[in-house]
Amino acid sequence: MAASSKTQRWQIGLILGFWPIVLFALFNDSAWLNAQGFNGQIISNVAAPLYFGLMLYHLRPDQRLIALVFVPFSALGEYVFSLLLELYSYKFGSIPIYVPFGHAILLGTGLLISELAWVKQHAERLRWGLLFGHASLFLGAWLLFDDSLSAIFGLIFSLILLLFRAQLLHLIMGFLVLYIELMGTWLGCWRWDLNPLNGLLHTTNPPVGAFVCYVIADIIVIMSLRWGRWMWGYRHNRHAKGSAAYYQQKLALTQHIYADQASEPATNEADGFGKGYALGTVGLRYVELNQLPAASTCFERTRQLAESRNDLAIFHLAGWHLGQVLWQQGQTEAALVLLNAYVNYLEAANPAQAKHFAEQLQALKQD
């Protein structure tokens, strides 16, 4: 528990540190400071990678890989949007070294914010609030400033929200990017072309829809890594855990079990759930796929079904798996309630198993 609390403190510290580190880097690269005869861009070029390294250390392995890949990918994006399309230009013309690292820091901060326990508890209210905020900005920019570039970005973002069910990460990223764009343009680090693409469009400096480029990049990187992992497993072993064929086989199996499950509980199967609780088996497969929200839903519904059948064994078993998912999501207090409940149940029902799971729980606390 102490290690987990320390991790949470670091995560909150990195989220809070995002705002001053951005201001620090942009101020050192500001046009005003350069006009005073001091080129502080070199300080920004050193500070951003150092802060990025600190952030990497406190991200989960999957998040760490996403952030690392995002650095070269965002450098490529900068080349396309700044140097080729000339939508915006930097103070010295070239792309500063700190910028790709800044993009990755931005993404890492968004990931950390989206996984805060408070954010998850108020996800629906935050989602609607952020949707309203973005819609107001897009509509205001179009009607008041004739920002046709942001209008196009708004249409693209609407399609993304529909395809990805308005993921909170995408909405959070929008306001993080807006902060960076406002600071960067105000300090003169870069400037957007008011009539980009040879005057075909019109925009403001900065456009409120600039963040959509970030969101598209996030999606490409995350989806590419996911498919890359599947294809790597598929090429090395078509039925190895981690391959596309493996997951297709598992999902087909669990769907078949769920369709044919009996009404009575069966608790002696290998995975602990049995044919009477096939949705719990589906939850385990979702955990393997790292689709934690879907896994949570499966385990919660399994608990409801077990409670209706007065089946305490499955009720607490599903609670154990739900607790592990919540722990991964950073909701340690809620997770401990469920994990301890299963251990306490086993102490009365099966002392030998209780010892085994108590050791797992202790190892989880110390991890």
Side-chain angles (χ1 to χ4, degrees):
M1 183 66 178
S4 177
S5 299
K6 184 178 180 181
T7 300
Q8 287 184 346
R9 287 196 297 270
W10 267 107
Q11 290 174 342
I12 294 173
L14 288 169
I15 292 170
L16 296 176
F18 168 78
W19 313 97
I21 192 63
V22 167
L23 189 58
F24 174 80
L26 295 179
F27 175 77
N28 280 287
D29 190 33
S30 65
W32 178 85
L33 200 60
N34 187 62
Q36 310 309 309
F38 179 74
N39 180 12
Q41 190 178 102
I42 188 172
I43 298 177
S44 303
N45 289 340
V46 173
L50 289 176
Y51 189 84
F52 177 62
L54 179 65
M55 173 172 278
L56 282 179
Y57 184 77
H58 295 283
L59 291 175
R60 294 199 316 266
D62 58 320
Q63 296 173 333
R64 191 178 302 135
L65 179 60
I66 292 171
L68 282 169
V69 173
F70 203 71
V71 174
F73 188 84
S74 61
L76 176 62
E78 286 288 334
Y79 174 78
V80 172
F81 289 108
S82 179
L83 301 183
L84 288 184
L85 298 180
E86 298 181 339
L87 294 180
Y88 53 89
S89 57
Y90 288 95
K91 181 182 61 181
F92 294 137
S94 59
I95 301 169
I97 294 173
Y98 73 86
V99 169
F101 292 97
H103 289 319
I105 291 171
L106 172 68
L107 175 58
T109 304
L111 290 170
L112 291 175
I113 293 175
S114 65
E115 293 193 350
L116 287 176
W118 184 89
V119 172
K120 290 180 178 296
Q121 291 171 2
H122 301 85
E124 199 62 25
R125 292 182 180 178
L126 287 171
R127 181 177 290 107
W128 281 108
L130 292 171
L131 280 170
F132 177 78
H134 284 304
S136 300
L137 287 173
F138 278 121
L139 190 61
W142 181 40
L143 295 178
L144 299 178
F145 302 103
D146 191 27
D147 189 348
S148 53
L149 178 63
S150 288
I152 293 175
F153 279 145
L155 292 175
I156 296 172
F157 188 55
S158 299
L159 180 61
I160 290 172
L161 292 177
L162 288 174
L163 290 175
F164 292 89
R165 299 182 179 180
Q167 285 190 18
L168 201 55
L169 172 63
H170 300 156
L171 296 167
I172 291 170
M173 291 289 292
F175 283 96
L176 295 179
V177 173
L178 183 61
Y179 167 69
I180 289 181
E181 288 291 342
L182 289 173
M183 291 295 101
T185 52
W186 178 59
L187 291 169
C189 303
W190 62 83
R191 179 175 179 80
W192 285 78
D193 185 356
L194 298 181
N195 298 288
L197 303 179
N198 295 321
L200 183 63
L201 299 174
H202 179 72
T203 189
T204 55
N205 182 42
V208 298
F211 76 92
V212 178
C213 298
Y214 287 76
V215 172
I216 294 172
D218 298 345
I219 292 171
I220 292 174
V221 169
I222 293 172
M223 296 297 291
S224 297
L225 288 174
R226 183 179 300 169
W227 281 104
R229 184 181 63 217
W230 283 0
M231 290 306 297
W232 185 90
Y234 178 78
R235 291 187 61 175
H236 286 76
N237 185 346
R238 288 180 58 87
H239 297 288
K241 184 176 179 180
S243 69
Y246 172 86
Y247 288 124
Q248 290 172 358
Q249 181 187 42
K250 285 295 184 182
L251 286 175
L253 175 63
T254 51
Q255 288 169 359
H256 175 73
I257 294 174
Y258 182 59
D260 296 337
Q261 68 174 329
S263 59
E264 70 279 7
T267 60
N268 296 322
E269 301 291 339
D271 63 19
F273 286 108
K275 63 181 181 179
Y277 294 99
L279 199 58
T281 305
V282 176
L284 295 175
R285 301 292 83 82
Y286 275 129
V287 170
E288 292 180 0
L289 286 163
N290 200 31
Q291 296 184 18
L292 300 185
S296 295
T297 300
C298 289
F299 295 138
E300 287 170 353
R301 292 183 179 177
T302 300
R303 280 167 57 84
Q304 293 172 2
L305 179 60
E307 187 176 24
S308 68
R309 296 173 175 176
N310 197 27
D311 191 340
L312 292 180
I314 292 296
F315 177 79
H316 288 294
L317 174 64
W320 171 267
H321 289 296
L322 178 59
Q324 290 182 314
V325 171
L326 294 177
W327 188 278
Q328 291 184 55
Q329 294 176 326
Q331 302 181 51
T332 53
E333 293 184 6
L336 283 173
V337 171
L338 295 170
L339 297 172
N340 283 317
Y342 187 51
V343 173
N344 293 337
Y345 166 77
L346 287 177
E347 286 177 349
N350 192 328
Q353 280 192 353
K355 182 179 179 181
H356 170 71
F357 281 95
E359 290 173 352
Q360 287 191 35
L361 179 56
Q362 187 62 29
L364 187 64
K365 292 178 180 179
Q366 295 174 353
D367 186 13

